[in-house]
Amino acid sequence: MNKKVNAKREAYAKKQEEKGKKVVGWIFGGLIVLAVVYLIWTFSMMA
C-alpha cells in the first residue's frame, strides 16, 4: 500500500512540476512580448 501511495505522490509531483514550467514559460514569453511592444511604442513616440 505504501508503494502505491508513493507512486501516486511522485506522479502528482511530476505533473505539478510540468505545469509549473509551463506557467513560467508563459510568464517569460508575456514579458518578452510586452518589452517588444514597449520598444516599438517608445521608438514611434520619438519619431
Side-chain angles (χ1 to χ4, degrees):
M1 190 79 172
N2 197 14
K3 289 182 181 181
K4 197 174 190 180
V5 171
N6 284 341
K8 278 187 174 182
R9 196 172 288 163
E10 288 177 14
Y12 180 74
K14 186 177 180 182
K15 206 180 288 187
Q16 287 294 100
E17 183 179 354
E18 290 173 4
K19 284 183 182 180
K21 286 182 181 179
K22 191 179 287 188
V23 168
V24 169
W26 275 104
I27 290 172
F28 278 118
L31 287 173
I32 290 170
V33 168
L34 287 173
V36 170
V37 169
Y38 179 72
L39 283 173
I40 292 170
W41 179 74
T42 302
F43 284 119
S44 70
M45 296 299 277
M46 288 182 179

